[in-house]
């Protein structure tokens, strides 16, 4: 499954050891920063540090998942080396994700090292919140600046259905722990699902208002074969906004967190309501990011199968970063112009799970 998700050309390059091309795929990175062939500057890396998770969210994973053997997963030292190479190439923001990043043993060691890298402005993390209660203080001390916490429902039974395993009370305690240690700008991530949580959008926004935090609603993306079709569950941004406007005044905001979300403010509150709308408002034109999976595959586009394997390079050249750097720069030449998720909702062409690529 995982190998099938890779572009055959990229696989053969990586299997034979990456050979930097004689003429660069793009000529726009002469200053040593990352610029793709459409002129987009890449300054943001999302790194998945594990494909494992203590939940099995129905939109993200199949019920039965086979996880990677340990030898095929980046070590924490390899993760650090990758991030270091990216920051040397002008990346200023790093998001650590997964799978569930907080189930990775010694994750705090890695975060602490990344936060100290020269050139890095922002280290942020996405989590399901299950381990936050015990880790919130240490995450802040390690230098994590912002947290995104996934929350699709406020009803315990429904939470168990959607996550298949999770305990809502634990996640809610995690959110409070993060607020208590002073994380500013906490943001909830809610995947919109028709018939599953669309009757709670207003309650979820009210929850965010009461806690003084932000919330972003995400249109479901067709990533991975989750064992059931997605077409019936798709819920679009415009309809969600209309629904929220029956209760709240939403004022469009020009604020951005450097990501694809478009924001609205609720007057008289601290809360911003964001929408990540890969179907209805494709954000590809301003894309500034690339992703590295837990097994070291560098994906320049979330909605596309082209990738370069960094792991063989890291292991073949343990003390020379030049081949790694060359591979990363080469990837700028294969970054797709954009994706079309809407076409793929029932028969995904991107066969890897979101937990593989990192959300
Ligand atoms: N386990 C962590 C969590 O749940 O926050 C981090 C990894 S998870 C893959 C990152 C984000 O991706 C979550 O907010 C999750 O809701 C979202 N996600 C997962 N599968 C998705 C899908 N098919 N479409 C849209 N968002 C998805
Ligand atoms: Fe795990 Fe996050 Fe995927 Fe849910 S969305 S299964 S918490 S990786």
């Amino acid at each position: 499954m995982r190998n099938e998700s890779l572009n055959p050309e990229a696989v053969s390059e990586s299997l034979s050891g990456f050979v930097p091309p004689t003429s660069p795929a793009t000529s726009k990175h002469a200053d040593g920063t990352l610029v793709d062939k459409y002129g987009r500057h890449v300054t943001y890396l999302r790194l998945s540090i594990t494909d494992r998770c203590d939940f099995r969210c129905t939109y993200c994973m199949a019920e039965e998942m086979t996880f990677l053997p340990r030898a095929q997963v980046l070590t924490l030292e390899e993760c650090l080396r990758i991030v270091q190479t990216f920051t040397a190439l002008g990346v200023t923001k790093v998001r650590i994700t997964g799978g569930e990043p907080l189930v990775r043993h010694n994750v705090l060691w890695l975060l602490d090292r990344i936060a100290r890298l020269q050139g890095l402005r922002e280290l942020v993390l996405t989590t399901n919140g299950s381990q936050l209660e015990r880790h919130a203080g240490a995450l802040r001390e390690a230098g994590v600046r912002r947290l995104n916490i996934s929350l699709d429902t406020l009803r315990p039974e429904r939470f168990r259905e959607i996550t298949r395993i999770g305990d809502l009370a634990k996640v809610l305690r995690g959110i409070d722990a993060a607020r208590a240690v002073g994380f500013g700008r906490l943001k909830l991530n809610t995947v919109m699902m028709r018939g599953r949580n669309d009757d709670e959008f207003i309650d979820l926004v009210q929850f965010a208002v009461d806690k003084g935090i932000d919330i972003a609603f995400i249109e479901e993306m067709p990533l991975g074969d989750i064992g059931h079709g997605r077409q019936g569950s798709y819920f679009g941004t415009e309809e969600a906004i209309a629904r929220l406007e029956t209760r709240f005044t939403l004022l469009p905001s020009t604020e951005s967190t450097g990501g694809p979300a478009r924001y609205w403010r609720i007057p008289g509150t601290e809360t911003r309501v964001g929408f990540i709308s890969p179907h209805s408002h494709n954000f590809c034109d301003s894309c500034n990011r690339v992703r590295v999976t837990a097994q070291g595959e560098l994906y320049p586009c979330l909605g596309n199968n082209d990738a370069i394997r960094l792991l063989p390079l890291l292991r073949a050249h343990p003390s020379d970063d030049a081949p790694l750097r060359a591979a990363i720069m080469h990837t700028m030449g294969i970054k797709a112009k954009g994706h079309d998720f809407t076409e793929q909702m029932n028969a995904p062409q991107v066969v890897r799970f979101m937990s593989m690529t990192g959300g």
Side-chain angles (χ1 to χ4, degrees), residues 36-147:
D36 76 1
K37 62 183 177 190
Y38 304 103
R40 294 171 298 191
H41 288 253
V42 170
T43 53
Y44 180 8
L45 169 68
R46 297 171 79 108
L47 173 65
S48 169
I49 59 168
T50 178
D51 63 330
R52 288 166 197 259
C53 186
D54 50 354
F55 291 180
R56 296 283 183 281
C57 301
T58 48
Y59 50 78
C60 176
M61 292 192 178
E63 192 151 15
E64 299 296 326
M65 292 290 289
T66 309
F67 295 111
L68 293 166
R70 185 181 284 251
Q72 286 177 31
V73 175
L74 293 170
T75 65
L76 294 181
E77 289 79 4
E78 287 165 344
C79 289
L80 182 60
R81 211 176 138 201
I82 288 176
V83 177
Q84 200 161 15
T85 308
F86 270 100
T87 52
L89 287 168
V91 162
T92 54
K93 176 174 175 181
V94 173
R95 178 173 300 280
I96 300 300
T97 179
E100 174 47 43
L102 299 185
V103 301
R104 178 88 196 242
H105 192 56
N106 276 341
V107 56
L108 292 167
W109 176 90
L110 176 66
L111 295 170
D112 181 66
R113 295 301 184 290
I114 292 177
R116 289 194 241 158
L117 289 175
Q118 211 184 353
L120 188 85
R121 290 206 201 118
E122 213 182 3
L123 173 60
V124 294
L125 183 122
T126 303
T127 173
N128 64 22
S130 67
Q131 313 292 320
L132 257 188
E133 195 178 7
R134 67 189 170 104
H135 281 318
L139 287 173
R140 203 156 148 67
E141 273 167 33
V144 174
R145 285 285 150 265
R146 283 191 295 122
L147 293 178

Side-chain angles (χ1 to χ4, degrees), residues 199-262:
D199 55 345
E200 282 192 77
F201 295 169
I202 289 176
D203 293 349
L204 283 158
V205 170
Q206 188 60 53
F207 175 83
V209 168
D210 294 343
K211 300 275 179 195
I213 61 184
D214 291 339
I215 182 165
F217 290 93
I218 308 173
E219 288 178 351
E220 185 177 349
M221 290 174 258
L223 299 174
D225 181 359
I226 50 171
H228 50 90
R230 297 177 187 264
Q231 200 68 270
S233 64
Y234 172 71
F235 199 102
T237 296
E238 297 311 319
E239 194 179 345
I241 291 175
R243 191 163 289 192
L244 292 180
E245 281 180 329
T246 63
R247 170 71 70 85
F248 304 102
T249 302
L250 296 181
L251 298 179
S253 162
T254 50
E255 288 170 87
S256 160
T257 54
R262 293 174 305 136

